[in-house]
Amino acid sequence: MASLDAQASAWPWRESQFVRCCAVAEDASERALLLEVNGALQGFVVYAREFDDGSIYNIVVASSARRQGFGECLLQSAVDAMLATGARRCVLEVRKSNLPARRLYEQMGFHVDGLRRNYYPLPPGREDAVLMSLDL
């Protein structure tokens, strides 16, 4: 997961962050769903349940596997898992410049709630995060 994230992001998560979300403990707050094709990891989504909300923390599809519906499949699976635990809303944040991801979220019914100014690092400076949510 860390290797796939490093290929997709200029600021990938640390391996220890992925270890935590893959814990099998019943009380683990974070969960991960993996997408494999022919035994090779092609994507994942990390999510958590927080009070009445579910949160998408990280979603990545390998560049060679994009535009095949895998991102939608991962996102829908995480939303379904949140629904099964009684979550009422799913929230996420996405880089303002990540237009493909924003289009996917909007197609799945997410709406924009606001901006978090200067949230993400960029090579020079910072980038806004778009806050989005979906009522479940």
Side-chain angles (χ1 to χ4, degrees):
M1 290 172 69
S3 174
L4 189 60
D5 194 33
Q7 293 170 29
S9 173
W11 285 271
W13 284 18
R14 293 180 310 280
E15 189 172 321
S16 61
Q17 291 173 281
F18 289 109
V19 169
R20 185 177 60 244
C21 72
C22 290
V24 216
E26 282 296 314
D27 62 345
S29 63
E30 296 173 347
R31 300 275 186 215
L33 299 173
L34 307 179
L35 175 76
E36 291 184 354
V37 177
N38 297 324
L41 181 66
Q42 296 298 310
F44 63 84
V45 60
V46 177
Y47 67 95
R49 170 81 190 280
E50 300 166 342
F51 305 104
D52 288 339
D53 289 344
S55 296
I56 302 292
Y57 287 164
N58 197 346
I59 184 167
V60 173
V61 173
S63 59
S64 62
R66 291 187 184 145
R67 307 199 64 62
Q68 297 179 48
F70 294 146
E72 181 178 353
C73 177
L74 285 163
L75 185 59
Q76 187 62 57
S77 296
V79 166
D80 291 346
M82 291 175 204
L83 265 170
T85 65
R88 295 182 180 173
R89 185 174 68 139
C90 177
V91 298
L92 57 82
E93 57 202 29
V94 59
R95 285 180 181 272
K96 189 175 181 180
S97 65
N98 192 344
L99 298 179
R102 289 175 56 191
R103 275 193 297 274
L104 170 64
Y105 302 143
E106 289 170 0
Q107 288 171 354
M108 293 190 65
F110 283 78
H111 60 272
V112 174
D113 295 322
L115 288 178
R116 202 171 262 150
R117 300 263 182 226
N118 301 314
Y119 184 73
Y120 290 109
L122 281 176
R126 310 282 294 174
E127 178 177 11
D128 295 343
V130 178
L131 306 174
M132 302 181 82
S133 66
L134 172 69
D135 291 329
L136 304 177

